[in-house]
Amino acid sequence: MLVCNTVMCCRVIFDVLNACIWCKLVVIAVIKQRLQVYGTPYRSCLDCARTILVQEGWRAFYYSFGTQLVLNIPYQSLHFIVYEFTQDLVNHDREYRPMTHVFSGGVAGAVAAGLTTPFDVCKTLLNTQESSAVSRQGEQVHGIAPAVRTIYRLRGFAGFFSGTTARVVFQIPSTAIAWVVYEFFKFLLTKDWRRAEHGHSYQHTPAPLVVANVPSASD
């Protein structure tokens, strides 16, 4: 029980730290995606960050912040649900079997990534402020609702699933590796505890009752 509580506490601490780091990663994602756009005018990461800050202000780094929050909720929910469901099918006793964790993690990542692609498309538009979209909009695109309207007007319903294959292919190895590493360290942390619990239960197993036949005096 103590080890399980320790693992859960470590998980909570990890999630809190991950949230703090993620706030900074949003800024990095904006810079990365703007540099990846074809014909980008930026020469380097520093040039990109400085230009955005001067021309658009610091808020430009967080145009997609709300979309990222909305994206993470269904993505993580689907991710864990599909992983647990797949584990019930291929590893019902929940033993440490690396290949089952790789398989379940890959399937979970593929399903979650595919179904949440529309949110990722909106996030990309908000991060890049792609010129054709901005020119037709007449102004910069801010917020989820304007992003949805812009994408639908430019590319229709199919536009929300642009890049689905690439996103799924990217997520499969990422989530597969993440889950097998997580399960490996969980196995290491709980191995001694399980061994101690097994030994403890063995030591306290009551000895079988042996009834001896004692000959009577008449015999």
Side-chain angles (χ1 to χ4, degrees), residues 71-80 109 112-113 116 167 171 175:
L71 167 64
N72 278 355
I73 293 172
Y75 177 82
Q76 295 296 344
S77 300
L78 287 169
H79 189 173
F80 281 93
T116 58
R167 178 170 162 79
Q171 289 294 336
T175 52

Side-chain angles (χ1 to χ4, degrees), residues 127-142:
N127 282 343
T128 60
Q129 297 294 314
E130 204 273 325
S131 56
S132 62
V134 172
S135 62
R136 295 194 185 188
Q137 181 78 0
E139 59 182 358
Q140 290 184 324
V141 183
H142 299 165

